[in-house]
Amino acid sequence: MNESLLRELVPAVIGVLVRRGADFAAAEDAVQDALVEAVRGWQDDPPRDPKGWLVTVAWRKFLDAVRADTSRRRREELVEAEPMPGPGEAVDDTLQLYFLCAHPSLTPASAVALTLRAVGGLTTRQIAQAYLVPEATMAQRISRAKRTVSGVRFDQPGDVATVLRVLYLVFNEGYSGDVDLAAEAIRLTRQLAAKTNHEEVAGLLALMLLHHARRPARTGPDGRLVPLAEQDRSLWNTQLIIEGVETLQSALARDRLGEFQAQAAIAALHADARTAEETDWVQIVEWYDELVRLTDSPVARLNRAVAVGEADGPRAGLAALADLDPTLPRYAAVAAYLHERDGDPVTAARLYAQAARSAPNIPERDHLTRQAARLNAQLRS
């Protein structure tokens, strides 16, 4: 297989799909899926017309994605934009699809990736960003998962833990990304909570509700991102906060702590503070310690560094940050914030600009760019 030929053909194939009516991002995603099949199949049987083969397969991938997206959007039309408090309605086919895609024949990571792609409607790029892996790696993982389940009967549903992971990632993408899936994730998690008496289901539901309660204050009238410390807390949805706290308390009372309960406890402490200055950062650090113990997640360690910086001062936060990989997403943004608080605007401005270049979405990029510009203007004056 000639990999250089494949690379040369990619722009032309994307162009064909765009001329047929696909938008550029969808065409790019479909071509990526087609390339995975090419890498797998061309070794033994290369086609006579490589470009024609790629166009045919990529167009089929695009149509499959459109059908999946159309089905998802029909389901979302049944959901109001703001999830209302209270138990979920009767379980529908969507939640069942989540369980079926979490098939026992798949590893949890592959099951999550396949479900996000096939049912959640996320692109390969979005899933790769959530998992902190290259897009090509995720495309191969999804392709392998599809091959694994292609010959099995979907009569063995997966476990709750895998479905929770999918719902968590769908909510996160809906909360901060390009596709609004947060309300749908809350709806399905309500259904799951009504169906099973699982403390981590309750923990995830509480986490979603508490984060979603802050959503009206996360952006200004001009669309600008508003950091948590600067948000107008009167805009927070107190109904969702009350429900989230009550749901969390019920879960914690079972004395079987899990990562979603720990995250929800951190969110509850933020929600409990009437002003940013009243935030109980010492308790938040303690909950991050629990979260790190449960998951050893680099993202949890990164967020813990911020909390340590607030509780014990920016020098302590920078010391906590020093143990982490600088290539971790949002590492530069956290370092910039802590350096600014430590009285080093030169380093902070450089790091804000660096963070902006790798920001995962436009509002975050613009916010970081403004932070860098603000400090640079202060340094010039």
Side-chain angles (χ1 to χ4, degrees):
M1 182 190 62
N2 190 329
E3 293 187 8
S4 63
L5 172 63
L6 278 177
R7 288 194 294 270
E8 291 172 5
L9 289 174
V10 166
V13 176
I14 290 175
V16 172
L17 267 63
V18 169
R19 288 193 295 275
R20 289 186 179 183
D23 63 69
F24 185 83
E28 195 175 32
D29 201 50
V31 172
Q32 179 63 61
D33 286 346
L35 288 175
V36 171
E37 290 202 14
V39 169
R40 187 180 72 247
W42 286 14
Q43 296 281 6
D44 301 323
D45 186 23
R48 293 182 180 179
D49 179 8
K51 179 181 176 182
W53 187 97
L54 282 173
V55 168
T56 300
V57 174
W59 183 248
R60 188 180 71 238
K61 298 288 186 184
F62 167 72
L63 293 178
D64 288 345
V66 169
R67 293 188 192 102
D69 186 62
T70 301
S71 296
R72 176 180 60 78
R73 290 183 184 280
R74 286 196 188 115
R75 294 193 299 270
E76 289 179 355
E77 287 172 0
L78 301 175
V79 185
E80 294 183 3
E82 186 65 43
M84 295 300 293
E89 67 273 30
V91 178
D92 64 13
D93 291 342
T94 307
L95 187 57
Q96 185 65 13
L97 285 173
Y98 274 73
F99 272 96
L100 292 177
C101 282
H103 197 272
S105 63
L106 296 172
T107 65
S110 294
V112 170
L114 177 62
T115 314
L116 290 172
R117 187 73 179 88
V119 186
L122 273 63
T123 66
T124 303
R125 180 180 292 110
Q126 289 169 320
I127 302 169
Q129 289 173 346
Y131 268 92
L132 311 181
V133 300
E135 184 178 353
T137 301
M138 183 54 65
Q140 291 174 354
R141 183 181 300 176
I142 294 171
S143 181
R144 285 195 299 268
K146 289 177 180 177
R147 291 200 304 273
T148 299
V149 300
S150 62
V152 302
R153 289 172 57 86
F154 280 86
D155 54 2
Q156 293 178 275
D159 65 355
V160 171
T162 301
V163 173
L164 286 179
R165 178 63 50 192
V166 175
L167 290 169
Y168 174 66
L169 291 174
V170 169
F171 176 81
N172 280 344
E173 188 61 43
Y175 188 67
S176 61
D178 301 324
V179 182
D180 188 358
L181 295 170
E184 172 73 350
I186 291 174
R187 182 180 75 89
L188 293 173
T189 307
R190 284 194 200 280
Q191 291 183 0
L192 190 55
K195 182 181 180 183
T196 179
N197 187 29
H198 191 295
E199 62 281 351
E200 273 293 81
V201 175
L204 179 58
L205 179 58
L207 175 63
M208 289 179 174
L209 294 172
L210 289 164
H211 275 301
H212 206 69
R214 302 202 302 257
R215 192 171 188 179
R218 289 187 75 244
T219 55
D222 57 357
R224 289 189 176 191
L225 185 68
V226 180
L228 177 61
E230 300 172 19
Q231 288 178 12
D232 179 356
R233 300 187 176 211
S234 68
L235 298 177
W236 290 2
N237 187 318
T238 54
Q239 237 181 345
L240 291 181
I241 290 174
I242 291 170
E243 184 188 0
V245 170
E246 290 176 349
T247 303
L248 172 62
Q249 289 173 339
S250 175
L252 292 175
R254 302 175 204 178
D255 200 24
R256 295 180 61 183
L257 184 64
E259 62 172 298
F260 295 127
Q261 296 169 70
Q263 288 189 61
I266 293 167
L269 286 167
H270 283 297
D272 188 52
R274 290 177 297 178
T275 65
E277 292 72 25
E278 294 179 57
T279 304
D280 191 341
W281 287 107
V282 173
Q283 271 205 72
I284 288 176
V285 171
E286 291 174 356
W287 276 110
Y288 270 121
D289 289 340
E290 291 287 350
L291 185 59
V292 169
R293 179 183 63 81
L294 289 165
T295 66
D296 197 28
S297 161
V299 175
R301 290 182 180 276
L302 183 68
N303 291 332
R304 179 185 178 276
V306 176
V308 169
E310 297 291 350
D312 301 326
R315 291 283 174 92
L318 287 167
L321 196 64
D323 296 331
L324 299 176
D325 183 353
T327 64
L328 189 67
R330 297 190 172 92
Y331 179 99
V334 170
Y337 173 73
L338 291 172
H339 276 290
E340 181 181 0
R341 289 198 61 227
D342 194 40
D344 185 358
V346 174
T347 301
R350 174 178 58 80
L351 288 169
Y352 275 131
Q354 177 186 330
R357 290 192 292 271
S358 59
N361 54 67
I362 293 174
E364 189 169 334
R365 182 200 66 193
D366 291 347
H367 169 72
L368 293 167
T369 301
R370 286 192 297 271
Q371 295 294 87
R374 173 179 57 81
L375 290 179
N376 285 323
Q378 291 176 4
L379 290 169
R380 287 193 297 269
S381 62

